[in-house]
Amino acid sequence: AAQLAMHFERGRDFPRAIQYLIQAGDNAIKIYANAEAERHYSQALGLVEKLPAAEQTETYLALYRKRGRANLALTRREQAEDDFKRMLDLARAAGATAAECVALNALADTFFYSHRLKEMRAFAREAMQVAHGVGNENLRIEAMVLLGMTYTGSGELAEGIRLLDEAILTARSLDPSSALVRGLIYRGIMHFFQTEYDRAEILLTEGVKLASELRDGLMLLHSRFFLGLNLGNQGRISEALATLREAMEMAQRDGDHIILGRVPNSIGWIHRELGDFDQAIAYDQESAEIAGKYHITEAEANSLINLSYDHTERHESEQALAALRDAEAVFAREQWNHWRFHHIRFHAGAAEHWLAQRDFDRASEHGRKLLENATHHEVPKYIAVAHKLLAEVAVARGNFSEAEAELNAALAALDTHAAPLLSWRVYAALGRLRSQLGHDQRAREAFVQAGAIIGEIAAEVSDERLRSVFLNSEAVLEVLEGASRA
């Protein structure tokens, strides 16, 4: 198609040259070659002024939309915004209401990746009104999904989830669309955030399948990324690593720096959970550097929090504290998903750091803030993390009955929300506490529970080196020894 375009351009047959350039760009999009697609669309845009005046507006509208999507997939947010604003202005001038709505949705989407929730919400609301006026359900549902995402991003979860659920229900009655794909993925992400891993897997897996069928590369990448995280939290380590690496390879081909900034720290998190701290630090540092370079703030902050965990595990207190302070500086730059990353993950990391430093007042302060925020946002995993941290503070202060109550509360939080990477550690802490109290048989029971979960996790690690690191880590050996006592 590209060669035919050149042929017709040399022959000054500009309509056909543009036609084949668009075809070449669309073919590139289908194989997720976004940079190549952007070049073809840009070349076509340079020829539009040579068309008859009556044909120019419609062609410009189509090309700005296509190039904007390619630029967004390439994390060229300013260029994407410029394309969509040009499209919006043209559509309004021409009275092309459907195209106006498409441009409004596209701008709302771009503001999501730029973390500009206020503008995103305004454009999504306007798009819903315009779509309702022209009776276009697909565009209205797409706007509803985007509006829901603004609420989940700002921590107003109940309203965001309500909008996403309503959008999915309506979208299922229509032909498969990008609106349904996005709705499935972001509702799946909310299930993931709230420790509903089975439900998340169903929606994210459907999102992967549908995004692949529709050749929606941006959504395919995001669904694979969160599916990888979800699998990891289920203890399905090798599946998780394979899914994350697949997302990484695709992001490298597509030039998607958002995913490139996120995946390494996710792989690093898995390595840290298995006691492989050197690799965890390497991945987390890589992620922090990429995210910082391309201004992917939540990935940068998450990477820094991960590094604080890594250094805490290695008893490197100065590096751990520096990472936490750097994360706070990132959070100060913008209010983006603070409910999850700052109000929950940061407090969890800070509590771990101060606990390791035996500053029990600060550890308790962060632990209680974590518990308050995780409870408010209904996140059982981090409710359990908070109770475990508070139990460890209570043990250090000699408040053993309080510690056991906190650990039992942690297990209760996980009773209907399985999180094996965490639950074995809670059972291990309970075993240590009971052993310290001289309750040997009950201690052994807790260690046996922890050991059984460890065995299930190890069985899901196909990498022999990584499995060996996990099974020979200090924390796991303590459990296995406690479980083997007569």
Side-chain angles (χ1 to χ4, degrees):
Q3 290 179 342
L4 285 169
M6 291 175 61
H7 168 76
F8 286 115
E9 184 177 354
R10 284 196 297 267
R12 304 188 65 77
D13 186 344
F14 299 116
R16 295 185 76 179
I18 291 171
Q19 174 190 340
Y20 282 108
L21 283 168
I22 290 174
Q23 183 179 329
D26 291 350
N27 289 340
I29 288 290
K30 289 177 182 177
I31 59 172
Y32 313 116
N34 295 303
E36 182 182 341
E38 189 277 336
R39 287 195 298 271
H40 292 310
Y41 296 143
S42 291
Q43 186 177 347
L45 276 164
L47 300 177
V48 176
E49 64 181 11
K50 300 179 185 297
L51 295 178
E55 300 175 17
Q56 289 184 16
T57 297
E58 185 177 350
T59 308
Y60 272 127
L61 287 172
L63 280 166
Y64 281 131
R65 179 186 185 184
K66 290 175 181 291
R67 190 175 72 174
R69 290 297 298 169
N71 274 323
L72 190 58
L74 290 164
T75 329
R76 298 172 181 170
R77 291 174 294 239
E78 291 182 4
Q79 293 94 322
E81 182 180 340
D82 182 66
D83 282 335
F84 294 137
K85 282 185 173 177
R86 288 171 183 266
M87 181 186 177
L88 180 62
D89 290 343
L90 276 172
R92 284 173 169 167
T97 312
E100 178 187 358
C101 187
V102 169
L104 288 167
N105 277 336
L107 280 165
D109 191 19
T110 305
F111 294 141
F112 176 76
Y113 293 106
S114 301
H115 300 173
R116 292 153 62 184
L117 288 178
K118 184 177 179 180
E119 291 162 277
M120 180 185 178
R121 187 170 297 184
F123 276 77
R125 285 190 187 281
E126 186 177 357
M128 282 187 70
Q129 293 171 356
V130 174
H132 179 73
V134 298
N136 190 315
E137 272 295 271
N138 273 318
L139 290 174
R140 188 181 74 85
I141 295 306
E142 185 174 354
M144 184 184 292
V145 170
L146 290 162
L147 185 60
M149 289 160 59
T150 71
Y151 282 101
T152 59
S154 63
E156 301 165 272
L157 304 191
E159 179 63 9
I161 288 170
R162 184 192 69 78
L163 287 165
L164 291 172
D165 284 340
E166 182 180 341
I168 291 169
L169 183 63
T170 306
R172 287 196 185 282
S173 67
L174 307 172
D175 291 335
S177 66
S178 60
L180 178 56
V181 172
R182 190 185 299 272
L184 290 169
I185 292 168
Y186 282 92
R187 186 63 181 98
I189 291 170
M190 289 313 303
H191 282 305
F192 164 73
F193 279 161
Q194 296 189 307
T195 326
E196 298 166 347
Y197 299 132
D198 290 344
R199 294 181 183 180
E201 183 178 358
I202 291 169
L203 294 189
L204 291 170
T205 300
E206 185 180 356
V208 167
K209 182 176 182 294
L210 188 54
S212 181
E213 290 172 358
L214 296 177
R215 296 292 182 178
D216 189 336
L218 193 63
M219 288 297 99
L220 179 58
L221 264 175
H222 284 263
S223 56
R224 279 181 173 165
F225 168 69
F226 277 100
L227 182 59
L229 284 178
N230 199 70
L231 291 166
N233 275 279
Q234 291 172 300
R236 293 154 64 181
I237 302 301
S238 290
E239 287 180 80
L241 289 172
T243 303
L244 289 170
R245 286 170 180 150
E246 189 176 64
M248 174 72 89
E249 290 169 5
M250 184 178 174
Q252 288 169 337
R253 291 196 305 271
D254 293 4
D256 189 323
H257 297 109
I258 293 174
I259 296 299
L260 289 174
R262 289 174 170 176
V263 172
N265 76 46
S266 303
I267 295 174
W269 157 69
I270 291 175
H271 279 266
R272 183 177 66 256
E273 289 289 344
L274 300 182
D276 191 7
F277 303 123
D278 289 345
Q279 284 296 300
I281 286 176
Y283 281 115
D284 289 334
Q285 285 178 335
E286 177 186 352
S287 210
E289 290 168 6
I290 295 171
K293 180 178 179 180
Y294 292 100
H295 310 292
I296 316 298
T297 52
E298 89 284 355
E300 184 180 5
N302 269 325
S303 301
L304 291 165
I305 292 169
N306 282 6
L307 282 167
S308 77
Y309 276 109
D310 300 335
H311 290 302
T312 295
E313 289 284 358
R314 289 179 31 163
H315 310 291
E316 298 166 347
S317 60
E318 290 185 9
Q319 293 95 318
L321 184 57
L324 286 171
R325 286 174 174 164
D326 288 344
E328 279 204 295
V330 174
F331 288 129
R333 296 205 298 265
E334 64 177 43
Q335 301 289 317
W336 172 253
N337 266 324
H338 267 213
W339 74 270
R340 175 74 179 188
F341 304 128
H342 192 190
H343 298 163
I344 291 180
R345 288 209 75 234
F346 175 81
H347 285 303
E352 289 279 5
H353 167 72
W354 293 117
L355 182 62
Q357 296 305 299
R358 300 188 64 79
D359 187 332
F360 303 127
D361 288 341
R362 288 187 183 181
S364 180
E365 179 185 354
H366 285 288
R368 295 203 178 281
K369 285 181 179 177
L370 171 61
L371 180 59
E372 177 185 350
N373 294 331
T375 301
H376 175 71
H377 293 297
E378 301 178 11
V379 187
K381 173 184 172 179
Y382 280 100
I383 291 172
V385 168
H387 282 302
K388 177 179 177 292
L389 287 164
L390 291 170
E392 290 170 334
V393 170
V395 168
R397 287 172 164 169
N399 300 327
F400 300 124
S401 59
E402 179 185 334
E404 185 159 15
E406 293 284 5
L407 290 172
N408 285 330
L411 291 173
L414 299 176
D415 187 46
T416 56
H417 296 81
L421 295 183
L422 173 61
S423 57
W424 79 263
R425 296 181 184 276
V426 179
Y427 277 116
L430 188 59
R432 284 194 300 274
L433 173 62
R434 289 173 175 175
S435 182
Q436 190 172 347
L437 293 171
H439 302 158
D440 294 340
Q441 180 56 35
R442 294 183 67 221
R444 181 177 178 278
E445 290 170 1
F447 284 129
V448 167
Q449 290 269 30
I453 299 169
I454 287 168
E456 292 170 1
I457 295 169
E460 296 288 340
V461 183
S462 59
D463 184 315
E464 291 185 11
R465 187 200 71 84
L466 194 54
R467 184 171 63 251
S468 177
V469 167
F470 177 52
L471 291 176
N472 288 286
S473 64
E474 183 179 341
V476 167
L477 289 175
E478 178 192 30
V479 167
L480 298 180
E481 181 183 349
S484 67
R485 289 175 190 153

